[in-house]
Amino acid sequence: MAHLFPDLLNLYGDGGNVRVLAQRLRWRGVPVEVRRVNHGESIDLAGVDLVFLGGGPDREQRLASSELMRMRDELRAYVEDGGVLLAICGGYQILGREWLLGDEVVEGLGIVDITTERAAGGSADRLIDNIVLRSPLATLPVVGYENHAGRTRLGTGVEAFGSVASTMGCGNNEADKADGVRYKNLVGTYLHGPLLAKNPEVADHLLARALERSAARSGIAAPALAPLDDSVETGANEALCKRFGA
Ligand code: GLN
């Protein structure tokens, strides 16, 4: 598993998602290695089956984006080959065609057909709220928190991560009632929280895809993910949905 630029992209505990993924494997006796790739470092994705990118303030997002641009071809090939990638907020925006640094439009990686535009009211006009989604990746509603200035629009060949199911929260933009993106085994979302601590079904979906790919490479069957006791998370999910009007 590769955690890309944790020193730059780690808002609202986004790095906790990596700890959740690793711990859910350890609880099941599945060995896992987490490589933290800091600013200025590089990684060969050949032996990687899960990549994580968090969110960051504009300046850090720009620094991370320059590093990621150098990895662009390798990252694109990884995603096209079915590599699992989870990106939150700033990391999610960078995957698209272009995104915003204040009022400046910055070229993105172009790995998925999404575009992040400026808000009508400028970069101080942020979408900040709790939010609940319905996603095909989970049977329970997906709960989280969003805080972003960019408004993201999906292009062709991609699906949303989920539809907005709460009275609060916007997701990608004010109009679409949807959040995030899904393309092959790539998931991008505005949900901080951290997402996977609150939504273990999403964590297990990503882990299952990563284990399948890793096993296929070695020509063996993927280990089944034994069920874990998620009753605390399930109880919290119910309480949060009620509070957020979902
Ligand atoms: N800087 C980006 C925005 O505000 C992303 C912020 C974040 O990752 N929370 O749109």
Side-chain angles (χ1 to χ4, degrees):
M1 191 180 313
H3 187 176
L4 298 187
F5 313 117
D7 51 342
L8 299 172
L9 301 176
N10 188 12
L11 274 181
Y12 312 113
D14 285 343
N17 290 307
V18 173
R19 299 179 70 166
V20 170
L21 289 164
Q23 189 58 40
R24 291 184 75 81
L25 288 177
R26 285 191 203 106
W27 276 331
R28 289 150 160 149
V30 180
V32 54
E33 186 195 335
V34 178
R35 291 270 320 273
R36 287 167 61 89
V37 184
N38 287 317
H39 182 238
E41 296 173 353
S42 58
I43 185 170
D44 177 3
L45 294 179
V48 172
D49 289 295
L50 208 154
V51 169
F52 177 76
L53 272 171
D58 286 353
R59 181 183 160 274
E60 283 76 5
Q61 186 176 345
R62 173 56 159 266
L63 287 169
S65 133
S66 311
E67 299 279 303
L68 288 163
M69 283 305 247
R70 281 196 278 279
M71 301 174 64
R72 183 185 203 160
D73 293 344
E74 208 191 337
L75 267 174
R76 181 182 286 126
Y78 168 83
V79 168
E80 288 299 326
D81 185 51
V84 179
L85 192 157
L86 173 64
I88 313 278
C89 200
Y92 161 46
Q93 294 175 350
I94 294 171
L95 298 176
R97 293 180 182 282
E98 55 188 39
W99 58 278
L100 288 176
L101 179 75
D103 287 335
E104 180 199 344
V105 178
V106 183
E107 186 189 359
L109 296 169
I111 289 176
V112 278
D113 188 6
I114 62 168
T115 307
T116 299
E117 297 162 357
R118 56 191 78 196
S123 51
D125 179 3
R126 304 183 69 83
L127 300 177
I128 308 172
D129 219 331
N130 295 302
I131 181 167
V132 181
L133 309 177
R134 276 289 180 185
S135 169
L137 305 192
T139 61
L140 291 176
V142 175
V143 294
Y145 164 80
E146 65 179 321
N147 182 350
H148 52 107
R151 271 51 168 185
T152 300
R153 302 207 179 269
L154 304 185
T156 53
V158 297
E159 309 278 341
F161 170 49
S163 53
V164 179
S166 45
T167 49
M168 41 181 88
C170 285
N172 284 337
N173 55 65
E174 289 93 332
D176 293 349
K177 290 260 163 233
D179 174 76
V181 71
R182 285 183 295 124
Y183 171 73
K184 296 196 171 195
N185 288 326
L186 174 155
V187 174
T189 176
Y190 275 115
L191 271 59
H192 297 282
L195 172 75
L196 302 181
K198 289 183 172 168
N199 306 285
E201 284 182 295
V202 178
D204 282 356
H205 172 88
L206 299 172
L207 289 174
R209 300 292 84 73
L211 287 172
E212 279 163 16
R213 183 167 180 268
S214 161
R217 223 186 14 248
S218 326
I220 55 166
L225 283 178
L228 296 174
D229 178 5
D230 291 329
S231 48
V232 171
E233 290 87 343
T234 307
N237 185 295
E238 213 174 295
L240 289 173
C241 284
K242 226 175 267 170
R243 195 169 343 139
F244 301 159

